[in-house]
Amino acid sequence: MKLKICWWAACLALLNLVSYAPAQAQEKTPPPFLQYMQSSWVDSVLNSLNTDERIAQLIVAAAYSNRDAAHMQELQTLVRDHKIGGFIFFQGGPGRQARMVNQLQEASEVPLIIAMDAEWGLGMRLDSTLNFPFQMALGAIQDDNMVYQMGREVARQFKRAGMHINFAPVVDVNNNAQNPVINYRSFGEDKENVARKGIAYMKGMQDEHILTTAKHFPGHGDTDTDSHYALPQINHNRARLDSLELYPFRKIIEEGVGGIMVAHLNIPALDATQGLPSTLSKPIVSGLLKDELGFEGLIVTDAMNMKGVTAGNEQGVVDKDAILAGNDVLEFTENVPKAIAEIKKAVAQGLISQEEIDLRCRKMLAVKQWVGLHEKQSVQVKNIANELNTPTGKLLNRKLMEAALTVLKNDNKLFPVLRLDTLKVAAISMGAKRETAFQQMLNRYTKVDNFVLDEKASQSQVSSIKSKLAGYDIVVAGVHDNSKYPRNRISFSAPLMQLVSDIAAMDNSILAVFKNPYVLDKLKNIEQAEGLIITYQDNTDAQELAAQLIFGGVSANGKLPVSVGSKFKAGDGLEVKGHIRFNYTLPEDAGMNSQILQAGIDSLMWEAIHNKAIPGGQVLVAKDQKVVFYKAYGLHSYFDTVEVKKTDLYDLASISKVATALPAVMKLHDEGKFDLEAGIDDYLPYFKGSNKADVPFRDILAHQARFKPWIPYWQNTLRDNGSHKWFTFKEDSSRRFPVKVSDNLWLHRNYKKKIFRAIKKSPLEVEKKYLYSGLLFYLLPTIVEELSGEDFLSFINENFYGPLGATTLTYNPMEKFDKQRIVPTEHDFLFRQEAIHGSVHDEGAIMMGGVSANAGLFANANDLAKLMQMYLNKGEYGGRRYISEATVNEFIRYQFPENDNRRGLGFDKPNLEYRGENNNTAKDASPSSFGHSGFTGTFTWADPEHKLVYVFLSNRVHPTRANTRLYKLNTRTNIQQVLYDAIEQPPIN
């Protein structure tokens, strides 16, 4: 039975095979444990208990796994001496709690119910566990099935941790914005939505045999008093209570909820006894809940240590009164011996019958059998943290947060932001102490200038930043929370509050509010913002997803679950369609196994670093336009301690061929300006009459034009004695020698012509077969300029890199980026006589001023992946078409396979026959895949069949190109194979 449940849980999380459908009109579903009320196991256990022990079964005491041995001894005493029914666990950790549960279960003659008040999952109480979204965020989700899925996952985690009852969900209707205790814990103010979400959450848990207790009966939503500290009073009449507060409880009872928790509230319309908490009210617990609503399940008190019930009441006596009122279980009893004694006295006095005590004890035992406690259980402590924090659970958590995103304003379809090349974007995080995950994610899409102001920002700090914002086309502002929980308050300084208002009034401003939605009413002019997103809470997932929404990585369709003054009403929310750019997510979101992916890539990268094949590197993996893996490893150099960051730039070497002139040529081909059957001389008349005239570009781009592989241009500048010829290099720059090769080498302004002449005069190979050559790519920038009438750099920046948001794709990176962000390459003792850092490694490219289609491009993995994704999308990305699908298909296909040539047009492709360890790609790379590698230790590949993009960047030539360990280890293609392995083996919980 356990195996079957586990199998269904895994399939549910991974494949979404099980879905929740709201019940149609039907007869009331009984609580699930009632079937065991007359079971032989319940009978036998009940008959083994004396009067005190039967009463003790109705008590659930508090336990903590972060306390000392004395606390554990107290719990052992409650088990051995008083034989209580169970424990509710609060703060601690999963491993520590599991060990405590095992010890307590071992000491108890009757198995113990282990409960937790875990409304948003185990993370509400235990460290190292998942925090699912608060119920206010869940209230914004339009698909109730997702809440059901969360219930199943919470139940799976409960069972793994050895627990049986979750004191959740909250089905209070929060219609009081000042509510200090429910608020974000409620699904919202709409009773129908609250009922639907509560039922979905309940069924998800109870379908996995975790009992739930809907709370806080008869409704704690419309109060401004916290019952932890005082007794709230609700003064609505019975008609209002019936129509609103009681509605979700009535519905969830009809759907078979196992338990109801009664709140500490004073409600004169239900019980006129002055100052009496509902927990102690027989008219409310027995009369209303049992008799009128017909609830037959387990009735649990709210914590009996709360001031709302303890004020003016004696320990033990108050517990007895709760039992007399009709409650079945006492939670968090402060004095267990006194409570047992007082209840026993009440039986003796005839205030309650022994038969009634036995019935309630029987309920508790039936619950224990329903959750499986009739069979001996122990919690496996080994690997508990990993098994609680599964990839599927983390993905569900992220998906819930994504589904909750609510767009309240999006004037003129301001986002997803489209024309990245035309916009200067600023991002300011208010209420933060440092650059936020929100800002970091924004910067993955394009260049964004970041500003940060903490909650106490002064007028001078605010004024300084406000003056800078005037120079931007779009201002994106994050309003952050400063507390663990999203309470209805904001503690910004007056100048910072004014800045929020001022930004909201700006044209093209987008505000992402990572706070309680009620806070919107405290933000002046917030409704004037052209773009407004509410995430309901502030965590990494919320921040990253809001940033992705702004740039089209994800969509949004959440609806506001509460009204916000006169500014917004419940149900407000615009649909924004995204998924036009990368979605940064988890591997399981694309059907990949994160454990295989992460362990495989990590081990291969660290193997390469340990063996000094590379000092460090970056790896990015995207599937289905979802970036599922993006990580930096190691150091810039073997000789320093600078760690590689994901934002660092690498010399792409020959990847430049497919990332610079090739997309330009493809675009020109679309425009009818570039003919694959034309020759170099058609576009560069200089080559007329040469041995390369009339050689079609198709042959040249497929590397079977008989061109020489390369020409050592720099060696042609030397005299026999090793000095440079006078018209080549000088030690200082001048008008005639303006091209910087190194600090002490400046090239003649016309030497580019000599390179062209060398290419023109170079002999051809005898046989027309595949032979890789870079000669054409020295010429292509000039050809692009001739055909387009534009400067080469301007052409590729304006038509590709800028619109893609690929701002690190650049030549001569020192002109735009700090040297610290550029990874060094070789120590060149042959030509430049210096360590190469910040300039292109390739000798020919540096002699072209650093700008060549053969080499010279720098980038980080993220930006290169955008270009590769555009190719994979057959020429489209970010809502824009760059190249026609027909042209992309032509360039990425095998051109001359009959000639044993594996190449496309410019692109490399898999060997026509697999060559084992000597293959140029992973074994499972499809024949439709394409990409390129680079001499510096780079590699990028796209596979249309599997919708994969893979980028590997390293500086394997550091400190010398003689280091070929990367090739011997076959790291790049071994990592590529891991991607396919991760697709073939989806995770199972």
Side-chain angles (χ1 to χ4, degrees), residues 443-572:
N443 270 280
R444 290 195 186 179
Y445 289 96
T446 190
K447 184 180 185 299
V448 176
D449 294 330
N450 293 331
F451 305 92
V452 177
L453 286 170
D454 67 33
E455 60 182 9
K456 301 302 181 185
S458 67
Q459 183 62 63
S460 62
Q461 291 172 319
V462 169
S463 297
S464 174
I465 286 182
K466 184 181 176 183
S467 66
K468 296 174 183 176
L469 298 181
Y472 290 89
D473 301 298
I474 290 183
V475 174
V476 179
V479 180
H480 293 273
D481 210 330
N482 62 344
S483 63
K484 183 177 180 181
Y485 305 113
R487 305 195 188 280
N488 181 16
R489 62 176 181 239
I490 186 165
S491 54
F492 285 5
S493 65
L496 193 57
M497 288 289 282
Q498 185 59 48
L499 180 62
V500 176
S501 176
D502 292 343
I503 291 175
M506 291 179 181
D507 291 338
N508 296 334
S509 66
I510 302 171
L511 282 95
V513 180
F514 302 103
K515 294 180 74 69
N516 187 306
Y518 290 123
V519 167
L520 294 173
D521 206 32
K522 297 178 169 66
L523 299 174
K524 184 180 177 183
N525 297 330
I526 194 72
E527 68 278 14
Q528 294 180 17
E530 293 188 8
L532 179 60
I533 301 164
I534 182 80
T535 69
Y536 305 96
Q537 58 194 82
D538 196 355
N539 57 34
T540 299
D541 278 352
Q543 291 186 34
E544 291 186 351
L545 288 165
Q548 293 189 50
L549 173 63
I550 289 169
F551 283 112
V554 299
S555 300
N557 69 345
K559 304 292 183 184
L560 197 63
V562 293
S563 296
V564 181
S566 60
K567 296 180 178 180
F568 302 102
K569 62 182 184 297
D572 283 353

Side-chain angles (χ1 to χ4, degrees), residues 780-833:
L780 279 177
T782 301
I783 293 174
V784 169
E785 291 178 344
E786 291 292 329
L787 297 180
S788 68
E790 294 184 47
D791 171 74
F792 176 65
L793 293 182
S794 298
F795 187 83
I796 57 175
N797 282 323
E798 292 170 4
N799 288 288
F800 296 99
Y801 305 160
L804 285 169
T807 54
T808 65
L809 277 172
T810 186
Y811 287 104
N812 295 317
M814 290 282 284
E815 296 176 1
K816 298 180 182 178
F817 299 95
D818 291 337
K819 191 174 183 179
Q820 290 80 0
R821 282 188 60 183
I822 305 167
V823 180
T825 51
E826 188 175 14
H827 290 185
D828 184 357
F829 297 113
L830 295 176
F831 175 31
R832 282 174 270 187
Q833 305 298 320

Side-chain angles (χ1 to χ4, degrees), residues 890-909:
E890 180 62 25
F891 274 68
I892 66 173
R893 73 174 179 87
Y894 288 113
Q895 293 294 310
F896 301 103
E898 70 283 357
N899 201 29
D900 197 27
N901 183 345
R902 71 169 190 255
R903 290 277 174 167
L905 293 173
F907 292 105
D908 197 5
K909 291 182 65 63

Side-chain angles (χ1 to χ4, degrees), residues 145-197:
N145 181 54
M146 296 191 70
V147 181
Y148 173 80
Q149 306 285 7
M150 173 180 156
R152 290 182 72 100
E153 175 59 22
V154 169
R156 184 195 69 79
Q157 294 180 24
F158 257 64
K159 289 191 289 187
R160 179 62 185 85
M163 296 189 292
H164 316 102
I165 298 180
N166 189 2
F167 291 142
V170 172
V171 292
D172 301 315
V173 180
N174 199 87
N175 45 19
N176 186 333
Q178 303 309 315
N179 194 319
V181 62
I182 304 302
N183 205 296
Y184 62 89
R185 296 165 62 196
S186 166
F187 291 116
E189 71 178 47
D190 183 307
K191 64 180 183 181
E192 299 277 359
N193 189 40
V194 170
R196 288 197 310 272
K197 296 296 193 301

